[in-house]
């Protein structure tokens, strides 16, 4: 969790962050082209790494660490299948199967500015539960973004996500949250996906936030694997995540990342 005061960005900085976000979105779409049964998550990682570097960026997750007890993250993207909530490590041994859902989380530094976005893909036909989970999680992100505006508070966003998600019998992850982003990957403030209306910091203009509901089909509890990265649901039920980077202005909020390119792919089924 990043401590301190949120950093207000200048218009020029937001333009640069937007460029980084565009590369993140293009990378997610490039990875999306290759998602199909039989492909390893390490293969997807190589696609992403090459694409980011070919476009002048650096994958910010590669070598990332929270503290001295966490080994550097080995991948350029996070690849989280089914009961993996986030931070799945790309591996040659992890092969995508029909019926899986897989979230791809990507962060990029481009000319010193950071963008961050995630999309959960369905592989072929998925169960009715997973389909509903994808719909609800994506709509939860939309509802979160609708609350992220000047005059509202962080608790309004958290409450909007939590109340919507729980109305379907699903749950929101508590132990991990969204965050400020732009000059670094994780900046203040924390952006929880749960909360109380009218509570918490007020959104201010020129904040840039990564908003990223993590929704579990079962209970909210999570566990971390011995690799210190892989986060999975304690009840092993599936989990999904969608994430956008947004910039807040006085009169509107702009979504800097986009799912449009991803959702033009013929192998991607759009839920919600
Ligand atoms: Mg992310
Ligand atoms: Mg993030």
């Amino acid at each position: 969790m990043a401590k301190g005061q949120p950093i207000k960005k200048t218009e020029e900085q937001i333009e640069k962050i937007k460029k980084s976000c565009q590369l993140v979105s293009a990378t997610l779409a490039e990875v999306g082209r290759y998602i199909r049964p039989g492909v390893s998550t390490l293969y997807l990682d190589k696609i992403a790494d090459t694409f980011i570097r070919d476009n002048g960026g650096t994958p910010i997750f590669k070598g990332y660490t929270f503290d001295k007890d966490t080994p550097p993250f080995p991948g350029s993207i996070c690849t989280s299948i089914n009961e993996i909530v986030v931070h799945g490590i790309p591996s040659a041994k992890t092969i995508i199967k029909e019926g899986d859902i897989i979230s791809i989380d990507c962060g990029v530094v481009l000319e010193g500015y950071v963008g961050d976005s995630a999309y959960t893909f369905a592989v072929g036909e998925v169960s009715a539960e997973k389909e509903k989970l994808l719909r609800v999680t994506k709509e939860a992100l939309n509802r979160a973004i609708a609350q992220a505006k000047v005059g509202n508070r962080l608790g309004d966003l958290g409450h909007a996500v939590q109340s919507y998600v729980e109305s379907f019998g699903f749950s929101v992850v508590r132990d991990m949250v969204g965050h400020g982003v732009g000059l670094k990957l994780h900046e203040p403030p924390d952006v929880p996906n749960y909360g109380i209306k009218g509570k918490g910091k007020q959104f201010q203009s020129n904040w840039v936030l990564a908003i990223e509901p993590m929704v579990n089909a079962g209970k909210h509890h999570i566990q971390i694997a011995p690799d210190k990265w892989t986060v999975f649901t304690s009840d092993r039920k599936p989990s999904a995540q969608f994430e956008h980077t947004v910039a807040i202005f006085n009169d509107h909020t702009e979504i800097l990342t986009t799912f449009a390119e991803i959702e033009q792919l013929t192998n991607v089924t759009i839920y919600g």
Side-chain angles (χ1 to χ4, degrees), residues 6 12 38 44 54 59 68 88-89 125 134 144 172 182 208 214 217 258:
E12 292 75 24
L44 300 179
D54 284 353
K68 61 178 171 36
I89 296 175
E125 290 269 310
L134 293 182
V172 292
V208 178
M214 286 150 263
T258 175

Side-chain angles (χ1 to χ4, degrees), residues 131-152:
E131 190 181 317
K132 186 170 137 194
L133 181 65
L134 293 182
R135 269 182 216 290
V136 168
T137 309
K138 200 167 168 205
E139 177 59 19
L141 173 60
N142 293 337
R143 289 176 181 231
I145 293 170
Q147 294 295 323
K149 57 185 183 186
V150 171
N152 276 9

Side-chain angles (χ1 to χ4, degrees), residues 15-261:
E15 276 309 304
K16 298 268 201 177
I17 296 166
K18 188 173 178 177
K19 287 218 167 80
S20 183
C21 285
Q22 286 165 346
L23 177 53
V24 168
S25 300
T27 305
L28 289 178
E30 179 68 8
V31 170
R33 282 188 180 87
Y34 296 89
I35 292 179
R36 59 175 65 95
V39 163
S40 78
T41 53
L42 187 65
Y43 181 73
L44 300 179
D45 186 72
K46 292 208 159 72
I47 300 282
D49 189 273
T50 302
F51 187 84
I52 292 166
R53 294 182 199 278
D54 284 353
N55 285 282
T58 308
I60 196 168
F61 296 171
K62 187 119 193 159
Y64 193 84
T65 183
F66 286 104
D67 52 53
K68 61 178 171 36
D69 299 323
T70 316
F73 189 78
S76 296
I77 51 173
C78 300
T79 53
S80 306
I81 297 178
N82 299 334
E83 73 277 10
I84 312 292
V85 179
V86 287
H87 304 164
I89 296 175
S91 163
K93 290 183 192 152
T94 306
I95 307 295
I96 296 169
K97 303 185 308 295
E98 172 83 18
D100 283 346
I101 55 172
I102 175 169
S103 86
I104 306 293
D105 192 353
C106 180
V108 155
V109 200
L110 182 67
E111 294 173 10
Y113 294 88
V114 183
D116 187 7
S117 181
Y119 193 92
T120 303
F121 296 82
V123 184
E125 290 269 310
V126 301
S127 68
E129 182 188 53
K130 285 175 173 172
E131 190 181 317
K132 186 170 137 194
L133 181 65
L134 293 182
R135 269 182 216 290
V136 168
T137 309
K138 200 167 168 205
E139 177 59 19
L141 173 60
N142 293 337
R143 289 176 181 231
I145 293 170
Q147 294 295 323
K149 57 185 183 186
V150 171
N152 276 9
R153 292 181 183 274
L154 283 161
D156 297 321
L157 182 155
H159 177 264
V161 172
Q162 184 179 12
S163 57
Y164 180 71
V165 164
E166 290 179 354
S167 75
F168 293 89
F170 296 156
S171 60
V172 292
V173 172
R174 311 292 159 93
D175 303 338
M176 283 171 305
V177 294
H179 50 94
V181 66
L183 309 184
K184 292 193 298 179
L185 178 59
H186 292 120
E187 299 174 1
D190 287 345
V191 184
N193 297 300
Y194 56 89
I196 300 165
K197 252 182 183 172
K199 297 280 184 191
K201 281 197 173 73
Q202 248 178 338
F203 292 101
Q204 293 184 33
S205 66
N206 299 68
W207 280 10
V208 178
L209 303 175
I211 300 178
E212 49 180 308
M214 286 150 263
V215 177
N216 295 350
K219 302 270 186 267
H220 72 83
H221 307 93
I222 57 167
Q223 291 175 306
I224 299 177
D227 65 24
K228 303 259 178 87
W229 278 108
T230 310
V231 176
F232 54 94
T233 56
S234 298
D235 58 14
R236 306 296 197 274
K237 291 198 172 180
S239 183
Q241 182 186 36
F242 290 89
E243 176 182 27
H244 271 315
T245 296
V246 310
I248 297 172
F249 297 101
N250 268 322
D251 55 351
H252 73 293
T253 294
E254 183 181 351
I255 305 174
L256 303 180
T257 43
T258 175
F259 297 151
E261 286 175 73

